[in-house]
Amino acid sequence: MPQRVSTPAPSSASVPPSPPLPAVAGRSGGSSAPTAADLLDFVRRTAADTELIDSLPLAPEGRTWMRLDGPGGSEAWLIGWPPGTGTGWHDHAESYGAFTTARGTLKENSLAVRLPASGWKTLELADGVDRERRLTAGRARAFGQHHVHEVLNESRETHAVSVHAYYPPLPLLRRFSRSGAVLRLEQVERPEDWQ
């Protein structure tokens, strides 16, 4: 029987790609851990760098990405989204983060609940936990640990480009499937899976 989840969750949002591509020179530095506000500032400033945004190759079908040096040792990505692509449901474990759309429009579906960190395979979600937001170019958002969401480019014609940052660097990524109110843990990916 699935566990029922109905507790409110911290605010949320973001998405890393699968395997990384070559790194790009850092945009900011620092020795202390960045705050969510630092990450939000970083993704906004990076998205405003039109030369960088233009340098990302865009594929006709699959997502493309470029790893960036984020502030204070954070993990950051520039991601290209062809029309009709998305991430599927996932979270970023203990990492908090921020992301912004640099071009196009992305839709984020998220859950306003905090899931248990471990010890479950299937959960039944309570009514009223679904959230939806559209992030047009220039719109950004920060999110807390254990944020569960999916990000989609629903356009049939236009690529979207976004910038994401996470701290601490992603220790793992949990992928989920969803059927109605039932959320099922399908896979746990670790950084070595993206290399």
Side-chain angles (χ1 to χ4, degrees):
M1 180 103 188
Q3 292 177 302
R4 190 161 181 83
V5 177
S6 59
T7 18
S11 61
S12 22
S14 158
V15 159
S18 299
L21 289 179
V24 165
R27 296 272 188 254
S28 101
S31 57
S32 62
T35 65
D38 294 332
L39 297 180
L40 196 57
D41 179 61
F42 170 80
V43 299
R44 284 180 171 144
R45 284 185 294 106
T46 303
D49 182 343
T50 55
E51 186 176 328
L52 176 65
I53 301 307
D54 289 343
S55 73
L56 181 67
L58 300 176
E61 294 182 17
R63 287 187 297 155
T64 55
W65 52 86
M66 182 183 304
R67 190 163 188 162
L68 307 171
D69 291 333
S74 63
E75 182 172 342
W77 300 90
L78 178 62
I79 303 174
W81 306 77
T85 58
T87 60
W89 288 94
H90 67 281
D91 75 359
H92 308 104
E94 299 294 323
S95 298
Y96 56 91
F99 79 102
T100 188
T101 304
R103 289 215 177 109
T105 299
L106 292 173
K107 176 184 175 187
E108 180 197 25
N109 295 318
S110 62
L111 301 177
V113 297
R114 182 173 177 128
L115 301 181
S118 61
W120 66 277
K121 190 76 169 153
T122 304
L123 297 172
E124 183 178 345
L125 303 169
D127 291 338
V129 299
D130 287 294
R131 300 292 180 267
E132 178 184 306
R133 92 176 13 144
R134 294 201 181 281
L135 295 155
T136 56
R139 290 202 52 207
R141 87 181 249 62
F143 57 91
Q145 297 174 326
H146 304 286
H147 175 63
V148 177
H149 70 153
E150 66 175 349
V151 180
L152 309 159
N153 177 5
E154 294 185 318
S155 171
R156 292 179 180 216
E157 302 168 354
T158 308
H159 272 75
V161 177
S162 58
V163 181
H164 304 253
Y166 311 91
Y167 190 86
L170 296 173
L172 60 88
L173 185 78
R174 296 188 301 178
R175 294 201 178 271
F176 308 100
S177 63
R178 182 164 180 197
S179 178
V182 177
L183 189 71
R184 177 180 299 279
L185 176 63
E186 296 292 346
Q187 182 177 4
V188 177
E189 295 178 6
R190 302 199 182 279
E192 56 270 19
D193 298 327
W194 310 323
Q195 302 304 320

